[in-house]
Amino acid sequence: MSTPYPFTAVVGQSDLRLALLLNAVSPAVGGVLVRGEKGTAKSTAVRALSALLPQVDVVPGCRFSCAPGAPDPACPDGPHEQGPGTARPARMVELPVGASEDRLVGALDIERALAEGVKAFEPGLLADAHRGILYVDEVNLLHDHLIDLLLDAAAMGASYVEREGVSVRHAARFLLVGTMNPEEGELRPQLLDRFGLTVEVAASREPAQRVEVVRRRLAYEDDPAAFATRWSGEEQDVRARVVAARALLPKVRLGDASLLQIAATCAGFEVDGMRADIVMARTATALAAWAGRSDVRKEDVRQAALLALPHRRRRNPFDAPGLDEDKLDEILDRFPDEEPQDEPDPEPDPEPEGPDDGGPEDGGPDGGGGGVPPQGGPEAPQAPEAPEAPAPDDAPETPDSPAPQPASQDGATPEQAAVRAAEPFRTKTLSVPGLGEGASGRRSRARTAHGRTTGAQRPRGQLTKLHLAATVQAAAPHQKARGRTGRGLVVRKDDLRQATREGREGNLVLFVVDASGSMAARQRMSAVKGAVLSLLLDAYQRRDKVGLITFRGSAAELALPPTSSVDAAAVRLEQLPTGGRTPLAAGLLKAHEVLRIERLRDPSRRPLLVVVTDGRATSAGSAGTSGSTGSATGDPRALACRSARLLQAQGVASVVVDCESGPVRLGLAGVLAGDLGGPAVTLDGLRADSLAGLVKNVRTASDTHRRAA
């Protein structure tokens, strides 16, 4: 095993190290979620923590790490005799984002269970992590079915495995630590709330600290063992301090004044539920123990709030986590501390002095630095207010006369500054027809490892979900030929049948947004942005990937390549200016190219194309660059039709959001929807509470051909 990077050699990142150490002192705090950009020593610091944890006593030979003094009475390896245990280091178990359910919770030997009737159980990662650390790198990319299992285990402190009448239960209490890059998408609220603390990390912008990061990393890579030896003294000091703080923890007094401060803080920031109050209380107690005190003070409550509340006060997925520190101080100032007891007050600095005297504050090997902004930051932005409606324009809309604007020399509407999106709303369900096999999600029907059982088939590779009835049916005709004499069923590998299940998948939702002059009227573009923002919220909840294409002037632009970060799409949308002609064909061709590339990257993820436009095409733009659509000098409308039919021929499921308004409507968006082979829905019809029927099965070209036949 390679020598891990020492925890005390991480440069800066004081909040990250403090949060991890507080969990080492009191695992009841509930774990840490570390958010930040790539290369900020997130994973390095977490992996180094296990070396600072005290050893644990376990029952000899127990695969589930039962404590000798209080073994689990339901342990599959039990019952255990009372006796001395053996000490071993606390484990840090890593859960890969692509792990299977069997790898997480354990696997059963199906053949032995059927043939011999025994519970032959192979423990999974939850058993390995019991009384240790379960670490999930890129936790925001973890599949939903694994998240559900983690939530169950974290809530009950146990893992249950139920397989075709075979039941196994074992204890699973662990410290959950996750790292993530917010650019790749956010966490489900249920899992987010399970992390006791959260920390935002960023690389230092100070040259001296960055130099120290590089110097220490290079020294570690040259000779890991010598580097670890160099920091062994500091590691031992921190390990001893953790042990001392654990011993002091039961003696720390959490007075009524501190409890009132905690309750007032949680109420003042309107956090949901009571978990925040409990986590703050445990964190404040751990902070006092880490500082060597037996009483909790206001500074402990303040620090606990900065670590425990930012991720719990988000009102919607696009609100940045953070805490208004001025508001926090105002709340705490209303409630004075109790009189502190007379006792020494050691300096609560969690960062020991390293062997590099005179150097910058401890720094991280992966580019992490100490230039971390204060925990919390500015208060998360509230939902945008609807813009003021402009004076009504009763002039009818025509393809050649968009909303009145000063014309440029080429006759196109000049660019206008971006407007704010209207208030988002709950949208109707948009889904891709047919049965996919993509990543787990909540949008379209798919064959998945989880969901309702729809049939059985021979397993392809390792058996994961046994279909018991089909297996018995396959084995039954051969019992006499196999010489069966007893009660047991003689089962061979060829008899095993895999259950086929149907669930939901996440899709690639590609938005193609018209930002031309015909959309530039302030009221209309605000409503359009509000509708797209609403669809982005829906995509976040359904675990989709999203992409954003905009078209105006003479070309289309990929404003956001397909990503799991719905937040990034919302930011691009908010900054979108409008103006110029309408190169509709260019936007559709850009969508065709993006989908072609994504099909090569992830062929199992099915796309859903959402075109947001009034259907006008006043410019050929760059449409002529594709040989399949003809010359750019052709009729813009004809080029748009051919581009739409190209997407339909590829079987791309599409829906057109018709943005046309006014007393006179040309219905061009409906014509475009027909060329794409999908439905058209108005901005008002997109709302879930409107009178129109749900938009569920988006038609594809094959659907159209079947109905025609």
Side-chain angles (χ1 to χ4, degrees):
M1 180 182 295
S2 60
T3 304
Y5 194 94
F7 185 86
T8 51
V10 174
V11 179
Q13 310 296 22
S14 57
D15 286 336
L16 168 58
R17 291 193 291 159
L18 177 60
L20 292 172
L21 288 169
L22 291 177
N23 275 274
V25 171
S26 175
V29 166
V32 186
L33 174 65
V34 187
R35 297 164 45 95
E37 60 197 24
K38 53 186 176 294
T40 49
K42 301 187 298 293
S43 299
T44 299
V46 173
R47 292 189 177 104
L49 176 66
S50 60
L52 302 179
L53 298 179
Q55 290 191 327
V56 295
D57 291 328
V58 298
V59 173
C62 178
R63 298 174 298 167
F64 301 88
S65 301
C66 284
D72 181 9
C75 176
D77 285 355
H80 298 300
E81 299 290 339
Q82 293 287 340
T86 58
R88 64 159 175 79
R91 292 174 180 160
M92 195 199 71
V93 178
E94 292 197 39
L95 171 60
V97 294
S100 65
E101 178 181 341
D102 288 342
R103 185 71 187 98
L104 178 62
V105 302
L108 293 170
D109 187 332
I110 300 297
E111 292 186 67
R112 289 191 62 194
L114 287 174
E116 304 173 28
V118 297
K119 299 179 181 179
F121 181 69
E122 182 67 27
L125 296 177
L126 290 180
D128 292 341
H130 180 48
R131 303 178 68 197
I133 302 172
L134 182 63
Y135 171 47
V136 189
D137 193 14
E138 306 295 349
V139 64
N140 50 325
L141 304 182
L142 199 63
H143 289 298
D144 275 357
H145 67 281
L146 297 181
I147 289 178
D148 293 336
L149 293 170
L150 276 182
L151 289 174
D152 290 342
M156 298 183 291
S159 174
Y160 292 84
V161 183
E162 303 286 346
R163 295 289 173 83
E164 313 296 345
V166 181
S167 177
V168 174
R169 173 213 171 274
H170 64 82
R173 290 182 292 274
F174 47 83
L175 177 62
L176 182 61
V177 180
T179 55
M180 60 174 283
N181 184 345
E183 294 178 355
E184 297 173 339
E186 286 291 347
L187 273 179
R188 280 173 54 183
Q190 295 92 332
L191 183 57
L192 187 65
D193 191 49
R194 282 291 172 187
F195 286 98
L197 311 179
T198 186
V199 177
E200 295 280 335
V201 297
S204 172
R205 300 297 181 257
E206 292 293 330
Q209 276 197 334
R210 297 176 76 95
V211 166
E212 187 64 19
V213 169
V214 176
R215 180 182 292 118
R216 293 188 187 182
R217 184 65 193 187
L218 293 178
Y220 169 74
E221 291 177 351
D222 287 343
D223 192 341
F227 187 82
T229 301
R230 181 183 177 193
W231 288 88
S232 59
E234 287 70 23
E235 293 281 288
Q236 183 58 41
D237 290 344
V238 175
R239 189 180 300 111
R241 189 172 173 185
V242 169
V243 172
R246 279 193 172 189
L248 179 60
L249 188 64
K251 304 174 185 177
V252 175
R253 188 178 68 91
L254 183 65
D256 290 341
S258 298
L259 283 172
L260 189 58
Q261 292 169 350
I262 291 169
T265 301
C266 293
F269 284 102
E270 300 180 348
V271 296
D272 296 330
M274 295 297 299
R275 183 173 284 118
D277 303 64
I278 297 171
V279 171
M280 273 191 66
R282 290 170 174 167
T283 305
T285 304
L287 280 162
W290 179 249
R293 288 185 273 101
S294 60
D295 67 300
V296 174
R297 300 179 181 176
K298 184 166 70 175
E299 58 264 30
D300 300 323
V301 175
R302 186 182 192 279
Q303 183 64 54
L306 294 175
L307 293 172
L309 296 189
H311 62 300
R312 290 187 166 89
R313 66 169 306 276
R314 301 184 68 185
R315 312 316 299 176
N316 68 64
F318 299 148
D319 287 342
L323 215 62
D324 185 340
E325 296 195 40
D326 291 337
K327 181 178 178 180
L328 174 60
D329 291 334
E330 180 184 343
I331 293 173
L332 293 178
D333 286 343
R334 300 178 200 156
F335 303 95
D337 269 339
E338 296 175 348
E339 289 296 325
Q341 300 174 355
D342 294 332
E343 59 180 19
D345 186 9
E347 175 62 37
D349 182 8
E351 301 186 31
E353 291 297 326
D356 292 314
D357 295 333
E361 194 130 18
D362 295 327
D366 296 327
V372 184
Q375 272 291 325
E379 187 172 358
Q382 302 298 317
E385 299 179 359
E388 296 181 3
D393 182 7
D394 295 331
E397 297 181 347
T398 67
D400 298 320
S401 60
Q405 301 288 342
S408 62
Q409 292 183 356
D410 63 356
T413 305
E415 180 176 306
Q416 294 188 357
V419 298
R420 299 184 68 184
E423 189 76 21
F425 52 84
R426 188 167 65 90
T427 65
K428 293 177 179 177
T429 304
L430 304 175
S431 64
V432 180
L435 200 61
E437 296 182 346
S440 175
R442 295 191 182 88
R443 183 172 296 279
S444 304
R445 294 173 55 224
R447 296 184 185 92
T448 62
H450 304 272
R452 62 185 182 89
T453 301
T454 58
Q457 64 182 13
R458 291 183 182 273
R460 302 172 183 174
Q462 183 181 3
L463 178 70
T464 56
K465 294 288 184 181
L466 178 74
H467 194 296
L468 182 58
T471 299
V472 172
Q473 187 176 13
H478 308 290
Q479 295 304 296
K480 185 176 181 180
R482 294 173 183 174
R484 173 185 168 184
T485 58
R487 299 178 59 186
L489 186 68
V490 181
V491 179
R492 295 180 179 174
K493 187 174 182 179
D494 291 344
D495 301 327
L496 300 179
R497 295 293 182 268
Q498 174 86 22
T500 57
R501 302 195 176 194
E502 182 178 314
R504 292 279 169 176
E505 68 177 358
N507 298 112
L508 166 58
V509 182
L510 182 61
F511 294 93
V512 181
V513 180
D514 186 347
S516 63
S518 63
M519 305 284 288
R522 180 178 178 85
Q523 189 174 20
R524 180 193 290 187
M525 199 59 200
S526 177
V528 167
K529 286 187 175 182
V532 178
L533 185 63
S534 303
L535 290 168
L536 286 171
L537 281 166
D538 183 68
Y540 166 80
Q541 294 164 353
R542 298 184 187 278
R543 309 291 286 178
D544 295 315
K545 289 181 68 175
V546 296
L548 177 63
I549 293 173
T550 63
F551 59 93
R552 63 190 179 93
S554 60
E557 175 190 4
L558 180 59
L560 181 71
T563 175
S564 296
S565 178
V566 178
D567 297 46
V571 171
R572 300 290 196 282
L573 179 71
E574 194 70 27
Q575 298 170 349
L576 178 65
T578 56
R581 294 187 181 277
T582 310
L584 178 57
L588 298 176
L589 286 176
K590 175 66 75 172
H592 178 268
E593 179 64 14
V594 170
L595 293 179
R596 183 187 67 81
I597 295 173
E598 287 301 310
R599 195 177 295 115
L600 295 174
R601 290 175 176 169
D602 189 358
S604 65
R605 188 180 288 270
R606 298 187 295 164
L608 174 61
L609 183 67
V610 180
V611 183
V612 185
T613 182
D614 56 10
R616 301 177 182 184
T618 60
S619 170
S622 59
T625 58
S626 172
S628 61
T629 58
S631 170
T633 59
D635 176 60
R637 185 72 212 166
L639 290 173
C641 291
R642 274 181 278 175
S643 302
R645 290 169 188 159
L646 178 64
L647 287 162
Q648 184 191 42
Q650 296 293 322
V652 177
S654 306
V655 61
V656 177
V657 179
D658 185 359
C659 303
E660 192 173 30
S661 61
V664 178
R665 303 195 182 196
L666 303 178
L668 298 177
V671 176
L672 175 65
D675 291 330
L676 286 168
V681 57
T682 64
L683 289 175
D684 289 337
L686 193 61
R687 294 177 178 270
D689 55 357
S690 68
L691 297 178
L694 289 178
V695 182
K696 283 190 175 178
N697 292 323
V698 183
R699 295 181 301 157
T700 60
S702 59
D703 298 325
T704 306
H705 295 328
R706 282 197 298 269
R707 280 192 289 270

